[in-house]
Amino acid sequence: MDISLFDCVSPLDYRYYGNDPRLLALLAPTVSEKAYISSELEVELAAVKVLARRGICPEGVVAEVARAIGEVTPEEVHEEDARIHHDTRAMVNCLRNRVSDDAKPFIHLCLTSFDVKDTALALRLKRATADAVVPELLKLESTLIALARRERETLQMGRTHGQHAVPITFGFAMAQYVSRLGGRIQAIQAAAEGLRGKISGAVGAYNASGIFFDDPMEFEREVLAELVLEPSPASTQIVEAEFVTDYMHALTSAFGVLANLADDMRNLQRTEIGEVGEAFGAEQVGSSTMPHKRNPWNFENVKSLWKVMVARMGTVYMDQVSEHQRDLTNSASQRFLPEVIVGLVNATQRLDRIMSKLVTDAARMRANFDMTGGMVAAEPAYILLAALGHPDAHEAIRQLTLDAQGEGQPLWEVLRHSEELKPYLERMTVEQVAMLQDPTRYLGASVAKTEWLCDLWEGRLGLG
Amino acid sequence: MDISLFDCVSPLDYRYYGNDPRLLALLAPTVSEKAYISSELEVELAAVKVLARRGICPEGVVAEVARAIGEVTPEEVHEEDARIHHDTRAMVNCLRNRVSDDAKPFIHLCLTSFDVKDTALALRLKRATADAVVPELLKLESTLIALARRERETLQMGRTHGQHAVPITFGFAMAQYVSRLGGRIQAIQAAAEGLRGKISGAVGAYNASGIFFDDPMEFEREVLAELVLEPSPASTQIVEAEFVTDYMHALTSAFGVLANLADDMRNLQRTEIGEVGEAFGAEQVGSSTMPHKRNPWNFENVKSLWKVMVARMGTVYMDQVSEHQRDLTNSASQRFLPEVIVGLVNATQRLDRIMSKLVTDAARMRANFDMTGGMVAAEPAYILLAALGHPDAHEAIRQLTLDAQGEGQPLWEVLRHSEELKPYLERMTVEQVAMLQDPTRYLGASVAKTEWLCDLWEGRLGLG
Amino acid sequence: MDISLFDCVSPLDYRYYGNDPRLLALLAPTVSEKAYISSELEVELAAVKVLARRGICPEGVVAEVARAIGEVTPEEVHEEDARIHHDTRAMVNCLRNRVSDDAKPFIHLCLTSFDVKDTALALRLKRATADAVVPELLKLESTLIALARRERETLQMGRTHGQHAVPITFGFAMAQYVSRLGGRIQAIQAAAEGLRGKISGAVGAYNASGIFFDDPMEFEREVLAELVLEPSPASTQIVEAEFVTDYMHALTSAFGVLANLADDMRNLQRTEIGEVGEAFGAEQVGSSTMPHKRNPWNFENVKSLWKVMVARMGTVYMDQVSEHQRDLTNSASQRFLPEVIVGLVNATQRLDRIMSKLVTDAARMRANFDMTGGMVAAEPAYILLAALGHPDAHEAIRQLTLDAQGEGQPLWEVLRHSEELKPYLERMTVEQVAMLQDPTRYLGASVAKTEWLCDLWEGRLGLG
Amino acid sequence: MDISLFDCVSPLDYRYYGNDPRLLALLAPTVSEKAYISSELEVELAAVKVLARRGICPEGVVAEVARAIGEVTPEEVHEEDARIHHDTRAMVNCLRNRVSDDAKPFIHLCLTSFDVKDTALALRLKRATADAVVPELLKLESTLIALARRERETLQMGRTHGQHAVPITFGFAMAQYVSRLGGRIQAIQAAAEGLRGKISGAVGAYNASGIFFDDPMEFEREVLAELVLEPSPASTQIVEAEFVTDYMHALTSAFGVLANLADDMRNLQRTEIGEVGEAFGAEQVGSSTMPHKRNPWNFENVKSLWKVMVARMGTVYMDQVSEHQRDLTNSASQRFLPEVIVGLVNATQRLDRIMSKLVTDAARMRANFDMTGGMVAAEPAYILLAALGHPDAHEAIRQLTLDAQGEGQPLWEVLRHSEELKPYLERMTVEQVAMLQDPTRYLGASVAKTEWLCDLWEGRLGLG
């Protein structure tokens, strides 16, 4: 059953994922409808394995089911679903149709739909994390580490409020993202590790499995172990919502870091700043009518996709509330969860692509630095005066900066001619005076911290 | 270019829309990627028509372009886009390739990408509204009106806080939704009517069209008139965000009414209440393990889809902020807007399907009514006492209800034996006493208001 | 009952409103707890007036109640509420305590709590809109109009993606906000006009009032008319949520326009751009450690408050869903609605204050304009070539811009030396060539549109 | 500086916190404006301590500052702020005014505003967590454990989709919340533990402290250690947003569990279900006009406050994005964070109050259980048939349930008369047959799991 890409309504399907063969190949095994069905079949197999091991069903059933789950097609499940309007039962029926009459009764025995569905969801999310989300984020992390190291000594003006503040290096600015992204990768890993399955029956009380087993919680543990999952402590019909909620939060907050990086990059590309640039293809068109333009559209795209995905947490939080042993109002909404993975991986790959070829313009960074005529020396000047006992250093320097601006003079010129401050200047060390004269020396620990952060995260994440 | 339905990640594409041939046929002409491209081509044609009318290009170009826009395929646009990474320019190139060299220069002349894109978006949203959203909502509205009229006299307990309050009829309860939904249909129509296009160039100042025309605003108006659209007053590169924001709000708030209706229906289906039911198909399975269950899954599905779509407004509001004459961070996000239409139309059709076959159980409604032993008479009793001058009627009746509960007596029994209240009871009319005795008479204007609301909305919406 | 400002947890109460005597005086009459209670008392009075007019209660009761509602204090209502845990009944009890025994029974007769509460809410929101929201927004609108007119001819580079695009004037940029804000003012007015009250009893069926009146809907209309309100068509215990939802949307989307304006202003203040500035007080401190800094903190504050308030719509949309004839889960949440008004008015006043003293730097705008060496002529060049029949004008100019950048030449220099383009240049008019030479002439309709927009909105809003 | 409670706009200030002396006393020390200022003063003291220890300032300064921070009043800080429009500098100035001229220069030396602010925020949030959030949640947890244990054997119908499913006990239903809430308490503790401070200067590069120290990162660590905090790895002007984002997520997702519990409780209180009830005070009024009503308003209030607070995460996620070394657009918004704590603690105390006095009605639970005439035996019947080799057990039982409903017979009656199923019934054990006859025996592991969960969480949380 095919659909024209051009009939799709989801921009993911027709543009950002379905239209990108590499991304499709990477993610379809875990995020697609196909994966939805096949992961459910895996849960059915896991259950049969344990039923056999415990002597409830003949050993031969396992082989039958193992073969059959490879044969059931999504097409037939959809057809059966169209007939009976129950997609799990449809999957079960299709599976039963492919095994012998002797095996049939043991399919789905003791299971309720959401034993299968919620366990399969945990399975898919964990696999998508291990196979795509984390590897792609680690690639980007490596790219950022390499960039931070390369630019660790490249002078850049540090900015707050969009205003010149005090000096940093561009590598230092990148190292912030190394660290924030590194932290989020760990958060995603931990949240994926925390995902849980359940085989506790219709309301979580093991009513069905309790018919056969004195230790239904142990039965649950064994079935899930087949899938390298653990049981949640207190499922009802469904796994407690918090595990998935935490996982979605981890993805969403990681996306926030990407959005921030993208925003910084597009701002540094403003015509008036021009400190970085996306490498442009020879045939690439910047604007349909303004042939001269080079727009930071990739960074803009990352920000835009973040705006799409961050809002989805509203739905996730609403899905925490499910009445009694569950209502079904989280069912359709839960189907949309993998879209966030797709958005995040798309943005990660996009950022990796452009950050790994990022063009930096050190001369422009220096020129921008010089725009404010050494005014950034105001901070060390005030601090040194204060440490030398000036009773109101902050105010004294604030006045001098107004004078410097008024006279169009570098701050240092005004400073060194100040009669009032002369005694303090004379007590400063040579290095301190040099710093006031040439604020490019006022770099703090920019370089060392950059190295420290890159080392730290390479170590923590096992990179490099 | 096809994609397997089972490779799709969007539940809309693989389940709720792409897998539903009727809904696909209804909506693909306005919400799909195909529609995205073809609507842009229509804008190109509209521009050429006015260029010709104003003598900028030869008349023959119009016919050429009119033919060509029917020939350009989404496939070739995607291919060109893959080459040049600019989807509007790709569409323009494909169109140019299909006309004569003489016509080529006039394609996209004076237009910027977002003249085309934002105008095409308004076009698609208006058409989707007129062709699908409003017609489907009107069907549901008619169904609700018929239901309200049918059940206008069916006694039901009115409930607040989930507690028995005072009597209504089930038709009256439905009439609330007739009115709320009617209001939202009008809101959607008004918001769609308010959608605007733009042909004002790269930053909204008519720089390009101003080269050719002294009256570029009039040129804009003429091009848009070809598409039955009006210009926004103050576009930059993009149409001011508020028109689409209002439209999305109208859709979202309409969805909220559907969610409320669905919630009411699934609550009335609780086993202990059992006042309404979805008609179940003979082959339909209620639960994969509990063969006896009849779950209100359609209503749950509507609530669930609402949870998905309501959160999208977060993105819409963020997209109001675009820097200077625009940044592009609303570009990817805007592509997701039609998904809300799909969700809303799916939910509307689903509700119409089940509401038109809704099974009501008047006997159960009456039995539920009787559960509280006439305690609802407390309100009219208190009011009548007060009107007759009792100095603290509310407190007097509150005590009696506690007595009635304590003694397991109907309120009327306790009331008529109260020595203190005797003088008041004696001054009541026969009808008033009858109402206290038989609170099913305490229906207020339930029936009349039901009729009034049905008439009102049939009139306003031109139904019936 | 006072609370220390410093014990408050709400930044509105301790900082943005409660700490601002002018804003407190403007808004407390409609948004405070005091206003909450007094507006409810007004509804009680309105009901008594109509009861008297219709002969249900003696005429003298009206005067009694009119006096009493001025005497009931919030303190006593809170005390009574602490005793009985029902804030409306508490207010009713306090009112009853202040009238004669003869009048007592007619207080709150036929009313349910939410007849009073929802009607009072509509009253407060309408008044806050008329007395504060709209007047303050109109002041800002006037300020923006004056600024747009003043700067209507001030050359500025138009920017998209943060990149130089084509020329505008700064007044034109401001006129966008004149128009967007004007539109939102109208939207707020319309939404406030649409707010509705209700006097339809416990479940909306006029059960109580129906005891006394054959025409309870007319009774409702009369009571509300006393408060210059109209009834909602289909209330249950509560007014249908959509009227308030629309109103909150109008406020929120207006805030979005302010956020966008603030974002633009703080970006234009970046050190490297420096086209505008906030006027700084002589004693004002820019940074606690960087005495030289002039941060756009007022604009940042507006953006930040927007982030706070825009998220509140999530709650508003959830409140559309209320079970049966209502559950109470919208009660606490509804109390927070006036906070959005406070946030919006605070931001509006702040913006008005700084925009009315905005410092613009026309020289810097011109210098920034010149940075790109006339590259903006690429658009008119391509369009003119196309109109003159060049078969692939966009590509030809795109190549020239690459050459110009490569050679560090202004585009015009490269253009006029192009052999290929010579024949086209020769066919251009003098004005057209002048425009390519001096792209500051490529202003389109910037100036005229600015005037047009200012006139338009002065007319629509009755300003000037 | 006092404000009338009745002038406040925040329902927290005038109703849910400021009007509740116990809650005010509990939370004001960490969430109020007073706490905001005093916690900043503590950071200033911590810095001076380390400056003295490292010999930058005289030892005596520490004592001076230690005394002075107890003297600075919020009033004077607000006054100074009104003068200079910079709240941190205002606090610094006030502190300087209270120390000797010799000490003055060392106040705030090497610190930037957000060294102080972000560190103080972490301090306040950690303390509020330790002093109020976790203790109050633990009280509720203990209450839930006691309730779960008390009701561990109380038969209740398990429900999914609001429909009868299979049996549980009410204690088992409560144990779900024991576990979910227990998990969230741990999540909050972990997130609070993860909060970080910073003393890294204006852009995070230790520019200022690097003037004095070769090891500015060690200096940072020492200052924060005075406050029992650790430094974040990669601050800029501000602490990386993720630590607070995770913390707010932990609070929000905990609130989701409370909302779910509240929803379940109010649903179980529906008149038709009536399995639980809030204990009502003797003087409490249920409804202003319906004296007989007992509304679950406390549970509704919890749900309503959750709707208010859950939406706030939208703001939190937006605040992850801050340009370059920071813009200030997270400043006002960050001030609102403690409101979520107040909302959560209020809801927790409220739930504890009502859950600890929850009235349960075991007879009603049993009566409700019996409503469906043993239909819940359908699940074990189908499973037993399947295990005994019936080829299509699910369908066979589904048909029987339809027959039973059609004939108005208990399922067991239809079952035992089925000729087709006779051979299977004969092969069942006595216990199995007894279970089909009396489905109250089909409790699964309800009781044991309840005990297990209570034990588990008492152990994990160190309760009991």
Side-chain angles (χ1 to χ4, degrees), chain B residues 235-377:
Chain B
S235 54
T236 56
Q237 181 169 80
I238 52 178
V239 170
E240 306 91 299
E242 285 66 57
F243 303 106
V244 165
T245 304
D246 284 349
Y247 178 73
M248 297 309 295
H249 165 71
L251 295 183
T252 301
S253 58
F255 216 147
V257 175
L258 303 189
N260 201 157
L261 172 59
D263 244 16
D264 270 6
M265 290 301 105
R266 63 185 191 85
N267 275 319
L268 291 178
Q269 276 184 271
R270 285 172 181 276
T271 305
E272 288 83 1
I273 301 180
E275 300 187 353
V276 304
E278 291 185 31
F280 245 61
E283 297 198 308
Q284 192 169 341
V285 169
S287 155
S288 78
T289 56
M290 294 173 284
H292 57 294
K293 291 195 69 179
R294 303 284 177 276
N295 298 325
W297 66 277
N298 276 304
F299 292 118
E300 291 169 318
N301 185 282
V302 168
K303 176 83 179 284
S304 196
L305 268 184
W306 167 75
K307 289 198 281 188
V308 171
M309 297 305 169
V310 70
R312 308 273 177 112
M313 279 305 292
T315 308
V316 172
Y317 286 124
M318 280 193 265
D319 275 348
Q320 276 192 281
V321 176
S322 185
E323 290 165 7
H324 307 308
Q325 285 67 52
R326 85 85 54 109
D327 61 64
L328 195 85
T329 68
N330 69 338
S331 176
S333 45
Q334 200 163 271
R335 288 181 178 273
F336 287 80
L337 298 179
E339 293 195 348
V340 179
I341 291 177
V342 173
L344 180 62
V345 172
N346 175 294
T348 303
Q349 289 187 338
R350 188 181 299 263
L351 274 179
D352 184 47
R353 209 156 54 234
I354 46 181
M355 293 306 289
S356 65
K357 292 186 286 186
L358 192 77
V359 178
T360 53
D361 187 337
R364 190 73 186 271
M365 289 184 189
R366 176 64 201 238
N368 287 338
F369 188 94
D370 290 340
M371 279 182 71
T372 25
M375 197 69 85
V376 300

Side-chain angles (χ1 to χ4, degrees), chain C residues 96-162:
Chain C
R96 283 167 47 93
N97 292 343
R98 293 199 178 262
V99 296
S100 66
D101 278 0
D102 288 350
K104 277 187 174 57
F106 304 103
I107 306 291
H108 199 67
L109 188 69
C110 306
L111 302 186
T112 199
S113 298
F114 269 80
D115 286 341
V116 178
K117 276 183 186 297
D118 269 4
T119 299
L121 176 65
L123 202 61
R124 286 199 309 284
L125 296 180
K126 280 189 76 165
R127 286 178 182 168
T129 306
D131 297 351
V133 177
V134 165
E136 296 300 318
L137 285 170
L138 285 176
K139 268 187 226 163
L140 174 58
E141 178 78 354
S142 294
T143 296
L144 294 177
I145 289 173
L147 181 61
R149 289 200 194 279
R150 186 185 89 194
E151 307 282 350
R152 72 186 177 283
E153 298 191 342
T154 310
L155 179 73
Q156 189 189 32
M157 182 55 84
R159 294 168 174 101
T160 56
H161 316 258

Side-chain angles (χ1 to χ4, degrees), chain C residues 247-324:
Chain C
Y247 178 74
M248 297 309 295
H249 165 71
L251 295 184
T252 302
S253 59
F255 216 146
V257 175
L258 302 189
N260 201 157
L261 172 59
D263 243 18
D264 269 7
M265 290 302 104
R266 64 186 191 86
N267 275 318
L268 291 179
Q269 274 183 273
R270 285 171 180 275
T271 306
E272 287 84 359
I273 300 179
E275 299 187 353
V276 305
E278 291 184 31
F280 244 61
E283 296 197 309
Q284 191 170 343
V285 169
S287 153
S288 78
T289 57
M290 294 173 285
H292 57 295
K293 290 195 71 180
R294 302 285 178 275
N295 298 325
W297 67 278
N298 275 304
F299 292 119
E300 291 169 319
N301 185 282
V302 169
K303 176 81 178 285
S304 196
L305 268 185
W306 167 76
K307 288 197 282 188
V308 171
M309 296 305 169
V310 69
R312 307 274 177 112
M313 280 304 290
T315 308
V316 172
Y317 286 125
M318 278 192 268
D319 274 348
Q320 277 191 281
V321 176
S322 186
E323 290 164 7
H324 309 307

Side-chain angles (χ1 to χ4, degrees), chain D residues 319-349:
Chain D
D319 274 349
Q320 276 191 283
V321 176
S322 185
E323 289 165 8
H324 308 306
Q325 285 66 52
R326 84 88 51 113
D327 61 63
L328 195 84
T329 68
N330 69 339
S331 175
S333 45
Q334 201 163 271
R335 288 181 179 274
F336 287 81
L337 298 180
E339 293 195 348
V340 178
I341 291 177
V342 173
L344 180 62
V345 172
N346 175 294
T348 302
Q349 290 188 337

Side-chain angles (χ1 to χ4, degrees), chain A residues 160-161 293-294 300 402, chain C residues 160-161 164 293-294 300 402:
Chain A
T160 56
H161 315 258
K293 290 196 70 179
R294 301 284 177 276
E300 291 170 318
L402 294 175
Chain C
T160 56
H161 316 258
H164 285 189
K293 290 195 71 180
R294 302 285 178 275
E300 291 169 319
L402 294 175

Side-chain angles (χ1 to χ4, degrees), chain A residues 74-90:
Chain A
E75 281 83 355
E76 68 196 63
V77 175
H78 268 225
E79 269 166 45
E80 179 69 0
D81 187 10
R83 191 176 70 85
I84 64 169
H85 297 299
H86 193 294
D87 68 327
T88 308
R89 193 78 222 167

Side-chain angles (χ1 to χ4, degrees), chain A residues 157 159-166 266-267 269-273 275 281-297 300 318 323 364 368-369 371-372 375-380 382-383 393-395 397-399 401-402 405, chain C residues 157 159-166 266-267 269-273 275 281-297 300 318 323 364 368-369 371-372 375-380 382-383 393-395 397-399 401-402 405:
Chain A
M157 183 56 84
R159 294 169 175 100
T160 56
H161 315 258
Q163 306 294 303
H164 284 191
V166 296
R266 63 185 192 85
N267 275 318
Q269 274 184 273
R270 285 171 181 277
T271 305
E272 288 83 1
I273 301 178
E275 300 187 352
E283 294 196 312
Q284 192 170 342
V285 169
S287 153
S288 79
T289 56
M290 294 173 284
H292 57 293
K293 290 196 70 179
R294 301 284 177 276
N295 298 326
W297 65 278
E300 291 170 318
M318 278 192 266
E323 290 164 7
R364 189 72 185 273
N368 286 340
F369 188 94
M371 279 184 71
T372 25
M375 197 68 84
V376 298
E379 181 179 276
Y382 133 73
I383 289 168
H394 189 273
E395 182 55 24
I397 294 294
R398 197 177 73 87
Q399 283 300 336
T401 64
L402 294 175
Q405 283 178 327
Chain C
M157 182 55 84
R159 294 168 174 101
T160 56
H161 316 258
Q163 306 293 303
H164 285 189
V166 296
R266 64 186 191 86
N267 275 318
Q269 274 183 273
R270 285 171 180 275
T271 306
E272 287 84 359
I273 300 179
E275 299 187 353
E283 296 197 309
Q284 191 170 343
V285 169
S287 153
S288 78
T289 57
M290 294 173 285
H292 57 295
K293 290 195 71 180
R294 302 285 178 275
N295 298 325
W297 67 278
E300 291 169 319
M318 278 192 268
E323 290 164 7
R364 190 74 186 273
N368 286 339
F369 188 94
M371 279 183 72
T372 25
M375 196 67 85
V376 299
E379 180 178 278
Y382 132 74
I383 289 168
H394 189 273
E395 182 55 24
I397 294 295
R398 197 176 74 87
Q399 283 301 336
T401 65
L402 294 175
Q405 282 179 326

